Amino acid sequence: MLKRIVAVAVIVVIIILAFKFCEFKKGDDSSLEYNTNLIQQQIVNVGKLVVTEGHFSEVITYKNQQKYMMDMLSFEKKAIVIVNADVTVSYDLHQLKYDIDEANKTITILSVPKEEIKISPDIKYYDVQQSQMNPFTGDDYNKINKSVRANLAKKIDKSSLKSNAQNRLISELSKILIVTNTMGWKLQYNGKTIDNEKDLQHDLKL
């Protein structure tokens, strides 16, 4: 009789421990799911359009000459072109690609969207000189527009507009880094573990 009571008591203890173990495991899964959802929400919050704006101005003198009769007769057209342009450099972080490895508690940034440069020039013409033999045509305006955009692109490359946009991009991505570090997760990019914002700035390939 005593043996039976002891056996029943042992079985009850085993059942209780089994339930406790299951609850413990369930708590771990819930915690992991909570952390994953929190990180995903942070990435969603970061996913926005990062924009840096700039303004550029330039003055261009456009000239074109048509020659006739063995270059003995020529007709010139010219104009002073004043350009004021608003330029934006942006990153659409909704296009950010990443992978979440719950088992190893790792977020891997797979790719960062390329910068998008938008140039909105306001072109005005002054001191326009032309003749019936060499008037301004649509082809002239297309050439001027193409030249304006090419010159602006060079100015943008030499300015700090792109680097400022990249700094803002890194600042946004650093929010993911802060969350992963706080939750005890790792952030990886380009095969490396990102420990701080300096690493992110150094390893980010745009």
Side-chain angles (χ1 to χ4, degrees), residues 34-171:
Y34 172 79
N35 291 346
T36 301
N37 290 338
L38 187 62
I39 290 172
Q40 286 178 326
Q41 184 59 47
Q42 182 60 56
I43 294 174
V44 169
N45 292 339
V46 168
K48 63 181 181 179
L49 191 65
V50 178
V51 180
T52 300
E53 300 178 334
H55 184 83
F56 296 86
S57 299
E58 63 179 354
V59 178
I60 298 174
T61 300
Y62 177 78
K63 292 182 179 181
N64 178 270
Q65 196 173 60
Q66 295 287 345
K67 295 182 179 181
Y68 302 90
M69 299 177 62
M70 303 292 291
D71 295 342
M72 294 177 63
L73 187 63
S74 65
F75 297 91
E76 185 179 67
K77 59 185 170 186
K78 63 180 180 179
I80 295 175
V81 183
I82 297 180
V83 181
N84 287 289
D86 291 320
V87 178
T88 60
V89 180
S90 62
Y91 294 93
D92 186 358
L93 293 183
H94 286 103
Q95 299 177 17
L96 179 71
K97 294 182 180 180
Y98 61 92
D99 177 70
I100 297 180
D101 183 353
E102 294 184 356
N104 296 305
K105 295 185 177 182
T106 302
I107 304 292
T108 302
I109 297 176
L110 302 176
S111 67
V112 178
K114 294 292 184 181
E115 65 189 19
E116 299 175 10
I117 300 177
K118 182 180 179 181
I119 302 174
S120 304
D122 177 29
I123 304 175
K124 293 183 178 179
Y125 299 87
Y126 296 90
D127 194 23
V128 178
Q129 300 178 26
Q130 58 185 334
S131 67
Q132 290 185 348
M133 296 297 294
N134 190 15
F136 271 88
T137 65
D139 187 53
D140 292 300
Y141 295 114
N142 288 336
K143 287 180 180 178
I144 292 170
N145 191 282
K146 186 176 181 180
S147 176
V148 164
R149 290 182 177 276
N151 289 337
L152 286 172
K154 291 179 181 178
K155 283 190 173 184
I156 293 169
D157 286 336
K158 292 180 180 179
S159 73
S160 60
L161 196 61
K162 284 186 177 181
S163 60
N164 289 342
Q166 289 179 4
N167 288 336
R168 288 198 57 194
L169 170 67
I170 291 168
S171 178

Side-chain angles (χ1 to χ4, degrees), residues 185-202:
W185 286 48
K186 292 186 299 182
L187 179 65
Q188 291 188 337
Y189 177 71
N190 200 32
K192 298 180 180 178
T193 298
I194 305 299
D195 293 319
N196 50 57
E197 188 172 328
K198 188 175 181 180
D199 290 342
L200 188 61
Q201 188 170 17
H202 180 267

